[in-house]
Amino acid sequence: MAALLDAPILTELINPLDVLEEAVSSARYWQEPDGEDFLCALPILRPALQRAAEVLLGQPGTEWWDAPIDRSDQWDVDFEFGRQNAPRVVRPDIRTFRAKAVAEEHRARRDRPSDLTASFSGSWWSTPLVPLASFTTTRSVGATGPVGLHLIEDSMGWEEAQTRPVGIDPRARVYEISTADDWAELCRRFPLDLTSSRRHDWYRATGRIGEWVIPDWTSVGEHFDGVHLSAAAYLQAAGLPVPVDGDTASLIAGWGPDETWWFRLEVVDIGDGSVAWHRRGGAEWRPR
């Protein structure tokens, strides 16, 4: 396999978005790595994989991977038209994030087995997910539409979607996650210990034993209006333990590349001009 990867790469056959979509769709943070994961981690394959990555990054269509949020081009994606009305103002609800997360952590500490190898699963994501208060945007990539159509962890296999342009207030305070260190710094500034509620899933996914934290999104929302994860940071760190302090680490899980999570809808303007998209059987998304 290493020899095959060292063979000349037909760059005209490479679609960077397809490659990125494959990497995102195969992410899983609630179970063990599969055979391909173990194979690609072999030291003998690293030089060839490094070369393939360099070739990929030299192709048109990867320029935005390490870019900050594009405030002039943001889109909301609603799969299966599930959001009947414009999202509600998020800020009052994001305050409940800490309370709900801490309550789950207390229940996990009391009720869940201490054995990391026990067959037990719970919350595995590290997003600011709050029911009825979750609003994300991504940039668009030409005729293929918003990035959020394509790059989804734990996808439900949706075949219908509606997208809407979103204007961003130039004064909006957006925390940029450009590297794993940016995520670690956010965890240091606003730590929330969720070891008991994450340890089983994240041990299976990473093999790591130790304390786990994620950013306290309630506190983050008091200092920033949104948080943007670049595609480069996603590829560098998603699914891998990110060292924070001492025996503490974190995990970027449940995020999509180039995704911005918003805490205050006062800084966004959900515009008209929605576009309906569809696909069948895993084919490309196409506007209706």
Side-chain angles (χ1 to χ4, degrees):
M1 183 174 178
L4 289 175
L5 286 173
D6 269 332
I9 299 174
L10 299 178
T11 56
E12 65 269 18
L13 300 181
I14 295 177
N15 181 326
L17 187 60
D18 289 344
V19 175
L20 192 53
E21 183 173 3
E22 178 64 25
V24 175
S25 64
S26 62
R28 59 184 73 81
Y29 309 125
W30 56 92
Q31 65 185 58
E32 298 82 354
D34 63 13
E36 289 186 1
D37 295 323
F38 285 114
L39 182 63
C40 290
L42 293 175
I44 192 175
L45 291 181
R46 288 177 185 170
L49 290 173
Q50 178 70 28
R51 175 175 168 269
E54 291 171 354
V55 171
L56 174 64
L57 290 174
Q59 302 308 300
T62 62
E63 300 86 357
W64 58 272
W65 285 15
D66 62 353
I69 181 175
D70 185 346
R71 296 175 185 244
S72 66
D73 179 29
Q74 289 293 295
W75 291 80
D76 165 42
V77 179
D78 179 17
F79 291 103
E80 304 292 356
F81 302 172
R83 189 182 296 120
Q84 299 300 319
N85 302 298
R88 302 186 314 169
V89 174
V90 175
R91 190 169 180 80
D93 291 317
I94 199 65
R95 294 175 182 174
T96 69
F97 172 84
R98 183 194 301 119
K100 292 181 178 179
V102 169
E104 181 185 12
E105 178 70 5
H106 287 167
R107 289 193 300 270
R109 192 175 300 136
R110 181 190 65 217
D111 300 334
R112 298 180 190 178
S114 58
D115 180 5
L116 292 177
T117 65
S119 181
F120 194 94
S121 181
S123 298
W124 53 267
W125 49 89
S126 57
T127 63
L129 183 62
V130 179
L132 301 179
S134 303
F135 182 61
T136 64
T137 61
T138 61
R139 76 186 68 216
S140 63
V141 280
T144 56
V147 168
L149 278 173
H150 307 272
L151 306 180
I152 311 153
E153 288 189 354
D154 196 27
S155 169
M156 303 298 290
W158 296 292
E159 295 186 336
E160 302 289 337
Q162 182 170 303
T163 63
R164 298 178 293 181
V166 179
I168 307 299
D169 188 324
R171 298 166 296 179
R173 302 163 301 169
V174 178
Y175 184 88
E176 288 288 348
I177 302 172
S178 302
T179 66
D181 288 341
D182 295 327
W183 178 269
E185 178 59 24
L186 200 62
C187 291
R188 293 187 195 104
R189 290 180 62 183
F190 310 104
L192 183 60
D193 185 346
L194 295 182
T195 301
S196 296
S197 57
R198 298 297 192 274
R199 59 187 175 187
H200 292 94
D201 287 299
W202 288 359
Y203 169 75
R204 278 193 296 273
T206 69
R208 179 186 179 275
I209 300 173
E211 303 297 309
W212 293 102
V213 298
I214 72 168
D216 176 357
W217 298 116
T218 295
S219 295
V220 175
E222 294 171 355
H223 293 78
F224 298 97
D225 301 318
V227 173
H228 171 253
L229 177 71
S230 74
Y234 178 93
L235 290 172
Q236 178 190 12
L240 298 174
V242 175
V244 177
D245 282 315
D247 188 41
T248 302
S250 186
L251 203 72
I252 298 176
W255 289 71
D258 192 52
E259 195 169 49
T260 301
W261 284 76
W262 296 100
F263 306 128
R264 294 180 61 242
L265 290 190
E266 294 92 334
V267 300
V268 303
D269 179 19
I270 303 170
D272 299 325
S274 64
V275 180
W277 296 77
H278 72 101
R279 69 175 177 179
R280 292 290 181 269
E284 293 294 320
W285 285 99
R286 298 184 182 278
R288 283 193 176 278

